[in-house]
Amino acid sequence: MKKAEVKFENITKKFNETTAVDNVSCNFEAGTLTTLLGPSGCGKTTSLRIIAGLERATSGKILVDNEDVTLLPATDRDVSMVFQSYALFPHMSVIENVSYGLKMINVNKEEYTEKALETLKLVNLEGYENRMPSELSGGQQQRVAVARAIVLKPKVLLFDEPLSNLDAKLRRQVREDIREIQQKLGVTTIYVTHDQEEALAISDKVIVMNNAVIAQQGNPKDLYNFPKNKFVANFIGDANVVKAEIVNKESKSYILKIAEMKIKVQTDKDFSNTVSVALRPEKISIDKTKTDNCIHAKVNNASFVGSSYQYILNSNAGKIYVVSGETNNIFNVGEEVFLSISEKDIKILND
């Protein structure tokens, strides 16, 4: 399978007065899986359709393997797309669906049959070649759609919300299949979803979009652990965004006051008197015993969700959401508790 880098250079797409993608520049590295993540209407699917050639950019340039493809029709781009709706031909068998693209480019029958069977093996559908789409489960239909896309050995493989029609358990299975196939083939893959867990689980790199621009990009761990702004902190995982007062500034660090707690946070940036900080719910320690430096809170709501307890607490910092792996010694509604958090787990946000 060929590996190709995809580049966006100042891509803008307007639909009449609406700007769907606003002067976006980014790279999709060769051989990696990059996810475009964001809420509905943020510009992620439009960006994908621009790469596929299904939409034409209003301005800017798209390069695939250093070739300018901005004005090339979809059929000349060496790009394959897997749609949300599977888009299988209902009157064709599995093998006819998979080999359809090869047939269209005049590959002979013996060769396209052999290639289609090889590809069905790759997506774990060996023995299913003579079934009709209506005889398959949703997960199997999606794998046929993946096989139909990769049999053409494209330079770039595109996925548009491919799991949204599947139930939760099947979603997890199919996303693992997609990641495994992508790594086996080493094909440059661009994947669109609004599901942050899906994005974190399968991606080498995540590009978070909001209001037609990139809010932040990076590897999944960095985006989760070092969100730059409130939107990313809230969109990737759960975050408590609370106000903190700067009580002292030292070189490359601040002493912050969050409710009653004072804590030293390292940073190179300059901030004024108050900042917003992100506190991840699972990083907050909750205790019945008061320590020297903690936030005093009261349990407002407690929910058991199997592997953890989830608490909503009232505090001087506002409402705080905490996830605790301790499921035996629990905290009851109305009980007074004390919260602490390590300085490495406090992230100052740019906004």
Side-chain angles (χ1 to χ4, degrees):
M1 192 79 70
K2 313 153 208 166
K3 291 185 184 184
E5 183 181 39
V6 178
K7 279 186 189 173
F8 262 29
E9 293 183 355
N10 308 105
I11 289 289
T12 294
K13 174 64 183 175
K14 293 187 176 184
F15 296 100
N16 301 322
E17 297 305 302
T18 306
T19 303
V21 181
D22 192 2
N23 196 29
V24 167
S25 295
C26 57
N27 287 11
F28 304 90
E29 283 83 14
T32 64
L33 192 155
T34 302
T35 297
L36 292 167
L37 173 69
S40 296
C42 70
K44 58 190 188 298
T45 295
T46 303
S47 299
L48 197 77
R49 290 174 66 82
I50 287 169
I51 297 164
L54 301 173
E55 300 285 358
R56 186 166 282 187
T58 308
S59 62
K61 228 197 264 191
I62 314 144
L63 303 175
V64 175
D65 216 6
N66 285 323
E67 180 195 352
D68 185 348
V69 300
T70 316
L71 301 175
L72 277 186
T75 47
D76 295 347
R77 290 197 182 194
D78 204 357
V79 165
S80 284
M81 187 152 170
V82 178
F83 296 92
Q84 181 178 337
S85 61
Y86 320 139
L88 300 178
F89 299 116
H91 60 289
M92 290 186 188
S93 68
V94 165
I95 195 160
E96 286 169 332
N97 266 286
V98 174
S99 56
Y100 182 78
L102 295 171
K103 222 171 172 178
M104 289 298 100
I105 53 172
N106 298 321
V107 173
N108 70 59
K109 187 172 182 181
E110 198 176 301
E111 192 185 338
Y112 73 61
T113 303
E114 188 187 333
K115 282 186 174 176
L117 287 170
E118 271 172 28
T119 309
L120 285 171
K121 204 171 178 180
L122 187 66
V123 298
N124 296 323
L125 285 177
E126 204 176 357
Y128 285 78
E129 56 272 12
N130 297 319
R131 293 206 191 176
M132 301 303 281
S134 60
E135 298 174 289
L136 304 176
S137 69
Q140 288 166 339
Q141 287 183 54
Q142 190 55 283
R143 277 189 267 162
V144 174
V146 173
R148 187 179 56 188
I150 62 178
V151 76
L152 296 162
K153 298 209 159 120
K155 282 183 180 173
V156 183
L157 186 55
L158 307 175
F159 287 92
D160 184 16
E161 301 263 13
L163 311 183
S164 54
N165 291 337
L166 306 175
D167 65 49
K169 202 168 181 184
L170 204 49
R171 270 209 297 273
R172 197 160 54 243
Q173 180 57 56
V174 179
R175 83 183 181 204
E176 284 163 14
D177 292 343
I178 288 171
R179 181 56 166 158
E180 193 185 328
I181 292 162
Q182 186 273 328
Q183 289 187 309
K184 217 177 261 182
L185 298 173
V187 61
T188 306
T189 301
I190 303 166
Y191 189 104
V192 159
T193 183
H194 62 273
D195 184 319
Q196 41 97 0
E197 188 188 309
E198 204 176 299
L200 295 178
I202 65 168
S203 311
D204 295 300
K205 176 180 171 183
V206 178
I207 296 174
V208 184
M209 293 189 76
N210 187 31
N211 295 332
V213 298
I214 293 173
Q216 193 177 340
Q217 56 183 310
N219 71 51
K221 262 190 180 168
D222 284 349
L223 286 179
Y224 186 82
N225 291 323
F226 305 102
K228 286 184 177 169
N229 50 55
K230 289 177 197 170
F231 176 78
V232 175
N234 280 314
F235 198 79
I236 294 194
D238 289 301
N240 297 286
V241 176
V242 298
K243 286 270 179 261
E245 189 189 332
I246 296 171
V247 291
N248 197 3
K249 184 181 174 187
E250 299 170 9
S251 91
K252 295 198 172 180
S253 70
Y254 291 97
I255 306 289
L256 299 182
K257 186 168 184 277
I258 305 167
E260 309 91 330
M261 182 177 71
K262 286 185 182 173
I263 199 153
K264 186 177 187 174
V265 177
Q266 307 291 326
T267 179
D268 288 334
K269 294 194 173 131
D270 280 328
F271 293 102
S272 55
N273 302 334
T274 58
V275 290
S276 289
V277 296
L279 314 174
R280 293 290 185 197
E282 73 282 4
K283 303 284 189 188
I284 300 170
S285 298
I286 179 169
D287 214 318
K288 294 182 185 188
T289 316
K290 189 175 183 180
T291 58
D292 289 344
N293 197 21
C294 60
I295 298 171
H296 183 215
K298 194 177 257 190
V299 180
N300 189 36
N301 184 287
S303 310
F304 175 62
V305 291
S307 60
S308 64
Y309 255 89
Q310 298 178 351
Y311 298 100
I312 294 171
L313 310 160
N314 292 329
S315 78
N316 288 334
K319 271 202 170 26
I320 293 186
Y321 170 54
V322 174
V323 174
S324 169
E326 176 55 75
T327 56
N328 293 322
N329 298 320
I330 62 162
F331 305 91
N332 299 309
V333 172
E335 195 170 353
E336 287 192 301
V337 293
F338 302 94
L339 310 177
S340 55
I341 188 161
S342 161
E343 67 169 78
K344 71 178 187 333
D345 294 322
I346 292 179
K347 304 293 174 281
I348 299 178
L349 304 173
N350 291 346
D351 53 358

